[in-house]
Amino acid sequence: MPALLLFVMLTACAASPQDLSGKMFTFPQETDTARVMLNISTHNLKAVTVCLRSFTDLKRIHGLFSLATPSSDNGVLIIRNIDKVDLRVNDQRVDYVVDYELNTWHSICSTWDSESGLGQLWFNGKPLVRKFTSKSQIDKPLVTLGQEQDSYGGKFDIKQSFVGMMTDVHMWNYVLSSCEIQNYVGNLNFTPGNVLNWKALTFEKTGNVLIENKQLTCH
Ligand SMILES: *[C@@H]1O[C@H](CO)[C@@H](O)[C@H](O)[C@H]1NC(C)=O
């Protein structure tokens, strides 16, 4: 009976949204298990904007945002490798060369819409080239942070895992204007994500992932 009660409480906990303002996820070690799962499978997406901030000293390849669908492991994937950030939409890859300094926060946003099929990366508030990816819509998405999905909801590779800190994850089902993206990057007023909202985030944490206060700089 107590075990059942605990299970019910944990399930209820996992399902209620949390305000993570001023917080960050810390992924403190290299594993193929530690992750945050965000189940947004109720959405069908014709357009996407994803924004997040990340801090790492990894040089090797690592996933920053992994959205898989039943038909595509890389429904929307933002993945960094040395001086490149790749954006994949429905497995179609476009590369962006960026000046990725280690051990500092970076703001990364990407946009895509199915009508034009164009994707775009914004790195620290600067727009990079708009490039063709895919015109297919995105169905039943599952998102993981910390691990890169090589199958729908699983098949994680330790060599693509994220080690570091991540914060301010938002996702919208439309393309944000450049002003809105710059407001996000500058921590100004912006409309929080209507698919994923850092201020009301429903998620499931597995393995060694901590929720800590963001370390702000003193002036
Ligand atoms: C995600 O949510 C949907 C709808 O609530 C549910 O049917 C599905 O089992 C969930 N998937 C996972 C992997 O949690």
Side-chain angles (χ1 to χ4, degrees), residues 24-125:
M24 61 185 183
F25 288 131
T26 303
F27 299 90
Q29 67 186 116
E30 187 172 79
T31 74
D32 61 1
T33 49
R35 64 190 180 274
V36 174
M37 297 280 302
L38 305 148
N39 186 352
I40 51 169
S41 63
T42 46
H43 291 262
N44 163 262
L45 301 166
K46 297 181 180 70
V48 166
T49 301
V50 174
C51 287
L52 56 84
R53 284 186 243 277
S54 59
F55 187 118
T56 186
D57 61 0
L58 288 175
K59 294 197 182 87
R60 64 159 171 78
I61 195 164
H62 58 274
L64 291 167
F65 183 91
S66 167
L67 179 156
T69 71
S71 58
S72 174
D73 304 338
N74 305 310
V76 177
L77 176 66
I78 304 172
I79 189 163
R80 193 198 128 224
N81 194 8
I82 313 174
D83 63 346
K84 269 190 350 188
V85 176
D86 296 347
L87 171 65
R88 293 188 202 193
V89 180
N90 294 312
D91 292 318
Q92 302 302 306
R93 184 179 111 192
V94 289
D95 294 343
Y96 291 99
V97 175
V98 296
D99 187 10
Y100 197 99
E101 197 187 331
L102 302 180
N103 295 307
T104 189
W105 285 103
H106 293 288
S107 301
I108 294 175
C109 294
S110 69
T111 67
W112 161 82
D113 75 88
S114 58
E115 197 172 317
S116 67
L118 299 190
Q120 185 169 28
L121 194 83
W122 291 71
F123 188 69
N124 293 326

